[in-house]
Amino acid sequence: MTSLPTDLNPQHLPQHIAVIMDGNGRWATKRGLPRIAGHRQGAKTLKELLRCCKHWGIRALTAYAFSTENWQRPVEEVNFLMLLFERLLHRELAQMHQEGVRISFIGDLSVLPKSLQTQMQRSMTETLNNQAIHFTVAVNYGSRNEITKVCRQVAELVEQGELSAEQVNESLIEKHLYTADTPEPDLLIRTSGEMRLSNFLLWQMAYTEMYFTDILWPDFDTEAFHQALLSYQKRDRRFGQVKTSISA
C-alpha cells in the first residue's frame, strides 16, 4: 500500500511520528524463537514503516531503539543489538540515501562500540541534505539524562558569564536538546499493550497525541499504522486551549 488510504485526510496527517517499538522479545518467545529473532523482525517492521511514512507524506519518524536502561538486559542480547544496528546501517545506508532519507542519531553515543559510532557518523554526514523524510533513531537515549545534560550546559554558560539566569527560557532549553532541529512529535505510537513513556522525549512530547496498541512491534504492519492514523485524525488537538464555540 504505497498511496495514502482514501479514508485518511492528507491535510490532517501528523508531520512527526515517534514510536516505542515494544514486544520484539515476546513476539519471538511466542513462536519458540530466540529473542534476537524478534529484534531482527522488528528491524524489518521499522524499515517498512519508514517507507510507508515517506510514501504517505509524513515528514519525520523518530524510533526508540535502545534506552539508557536497556544495558541491564542480558549481555548477549545487548551485543547482538549493537551488531544489528551496525549491520543494518552498513547494508541499508546506500538505499536510504538514494530514497532521500535524512538519518540522525540521538542519545549518548560516546559509550557505543567505536565501529558503530563511525558508521553512525558516516550515515548522518552522508544524508545530511536529504529531504524526503527525517529518520531519527534514539540509541542509548534517556530523556532525563538529556534534560540533565542541558541543565549542566546552561549552568556552565551562566557560570562563565555568557548568560544571565533571566535569559534561561524554554526556547533556550530547546536549542540545547538533541532534537533542536526537529519539530515536536504530533503522534506517539507504542506497541505491545504497555502504556507509559519509558523516559522517551519527555520534554518534546508535552502536547503529543498518544496511541497505544496491543499489537507486538514485529506485527505492526501498514494496516495497523493506518488504524493509528485514523485514531489520530479523530482527536481534537487544543494544546491546552479551549476551542471557542459560537452560540446561536
Side-chain angles (χ1 to χ4, degrees):
M1 202 196 297
T2 54
S3 55
L4 188 71
T6 52
D7 55 357
L8 286 173
N9 177 355
Q11 311 296 287
H12 188 38
L13 287 170
Q15 283 307 289
H16 180 188
I17 294 176
V19 287
I20 298 178
M21 310 177 287
D22 224 351
N24 289 342
R26 270 167 286 173
W27 180 90
T29 306
K30 271 172 73 174
R31 284 161 177 73
L33 299 167
R35 285 174 62 85
I36 58 173
H39 293 307
R40 204 177 271 126
Q41 188 59 39
K44 285 183 188 155
T45 299
L46 179 59
K47 187 179 159 190
E48 279 157 27
L49 178 64
L50 176 65
R51 193 162 276 152
C52 184
C53 283
K54 196 188 95 162
H55 289 318
W56 290 2
I58 290 154
R59 306 288 306 160
L61 175 68
T62 298
Y64 203 8
F66 193 86
S67 75
T68 46
E69 290 74 35
N70 286 157
W71 294 106
Q72 290 155 28
R73 291 183 175 191
V75 174
E76 313 80 64
E77 189 176 341
V78 169
N79 289 344
F80 173 80
L81 281 169
M82 294 301 151
L83 199 58
L84 180 67
F85 294 152
E86 200 170 328
R87 277 189 192 144
L88 284 171
L89 270 179
H90 190 68
R91 206 170 61 219
E92 307 289 347
L93 178 59
Q95 182 66 40
M96 287 203 277
H97 189 22
Q98 199 181 330
E99 290 188 33
V101 179
R102 178 185 165 199
I103 306 168
S104 295
F105 291 93
I106 59 172
D108 179 5
L109 310 179
S110 65
V111 297
L112 301 176
K114 286 285 179 279
S115 53
L116 177 55
Q117 285 185 51
T118 305
Q119 195 71 262
M120 285 175 163
Q121 198 49 59
R122 186 176 145 229
S123 60
M124 286 194 275
T125 307
E126 274 188 28
T127 64
L128 185 61
N129 299 314
N130 290 349
Q131 296 190 350
I133 186 168
H134 188 185
F135 179 40
T136 304
V137 187
V139 182
N140 194 31
Y141 174 88
S143 193
R144 288 181 173 184
N145 199 24
E146 175 184 28
I147 294 165
T148 304
K149 178 182 74 74
V150 173
C151 291
R152 196 176 299 123
Q153 287 171 342
V154 171
E156 279 168 7
L157 290 172
V158 173
E159 216 171 47
Q160 288 155 13
E162 290 177 41
L163 262 187
S164 70
E166 289 71 36
Q167 288 172 292
V168 180
N169 57 23
E170 285 187 21
S171 68
L172 179 81
I173 302 280
E174 275 160 16
K175 282 192 190 90
H176 284 81
L177 293 168
Y178 290 129
T179 52
D181 62 345
T182 316
E184 293 174 352
D186 299 301
L187 173 65
L188 166 76
I189 297 170
R190 182 168 189 158
T191 53
S192 90
E194 307 293 350
M195 296 193 195
R196 53 181 178 270
L197 291 180
S198 296
N199 199 13
F200 185 44
L201 301 177
L202 300 179
W203 176 287
Q204 296 87 337
M205 293 206 288
Y207 285 102
T208 299
E209 294 295 324
M210 300 190 184
Y211 178 83
F212 300 104
T213 172
D214 289 335
I215 297 170
L216 301 175
W217 177 252
D219 292 327
F220 189 79
D221 57 11
T222 308
E223 183 45 41
F225 183 44
H226 177 197
Q227 292 307 316
L229 293 178
L230 278 173
S231 168
Y232 173 82
Q233 294 203 334
K234 292 188 186 104
R235 312 279 178 98
D236 181 15
R237 302 190 76 204
R238 294 191 301 277
F239 300 94
Q241 298 163 15
V242 177
K243 284 257 168 84
T244 52
S245 57
I246 301 165
S247 52

